[in-house]
Amino acid sequence: NAASVNFTSDSLILWPVSGTLLMDYCMDKTTYFKTLDQYKYNPALVIAAAENDQIIAGASGLVKSIDNSAQTGTTVNVDFGNGYEAFYGQLQNVAVKTGDYVEATTTLGYIAEPTKYYSSEGTNLYFEMRKDGRPVDPKEYLTDYVE
């Protein structure tokens, strides 16, 4: 079913979780990280979510990897095709495995307690998108993003 993994610059994705934006994507200047008490670039959206909230893929793709990182906890990487990929961090009870084909509404997993890097921000989804390995602003692709 890899033929339908064909994301383009015009493609749109669904919000992976319903929640308010805690930290915006910011690669042109540094932004303040409360927990770390420092300014740094933020290649992702940090979206408020409650523990055990369901996270969906948002677009069809292939699960490329499932990793555990100190910063983003259990993180699922979905390849949308054409160099586009997304990283969903701070998950638990992951419902997919590497190599799985997912639809936009497929459940990837559920929100875990935040890693110590995000203890002040609270439970959240770490949501990063990349094109050819470089971070891009996910808001440019989210169907229902409202400023």
Side-chain angles (χ1 to χ4, degrees), residues 103-124:
E103 298 283 353
T105 54
T106 301
T107 299
L108 297 177
Y110 300 86
I111 294 295
E113 285 185 15
T115 63
K116 64 178 189 241
Y117 288 84
Y118 290 94
S119 55
S120 296
E121 286 78 9
T123 49
N124 69 83

Side-chain angles (χ1 to χ4, degrees), residues 31-32 40 52 68 80 89 98 100:
T31 189
Y32 184 66
K40 54 185 217 164
N52 293 316
N68 210 324
F80 292 150
T98 302
D100 280 1

Side-chain angles (χ1 to χ4, degrees), residues 64-79:
K64 195 168 163 182
S65 65
I66 300 166
D67 298 300
N68 210 324
S69 98
Q71 191 174 344
T72 58
T74 301
T75 304
V76 175
N77 175 1
V78 177
D79 184 348

Side-chain angles (χ1 to χ4, degrees), residues 1-2 35 53 66 103 114 123 138 146:
N1 207 347
T35 304
D53 274 2
I66 300 166
E103 298 283 353
T123 49
V146 189

Side-chain angles (χ1 to χ4, degrees), residues 5-13 59 80-85 129-132 136-143:
V5 180
N6 192 17
F7 203 85
T8 69
S9 60
D10 299 323
S11 297
L12 292 172
I13 62 173
F80 292 150
N82 292 327
Y84 287 94
E85 56 186 335
M129 281 185 71
R130 293 182 195 164
K131 166 74 167 114
D132 300 330
V136 291
D137 187 348
K139 293 192 307 300
E140 293 177 17
Y141 303 96
L142 290 165
T143 52

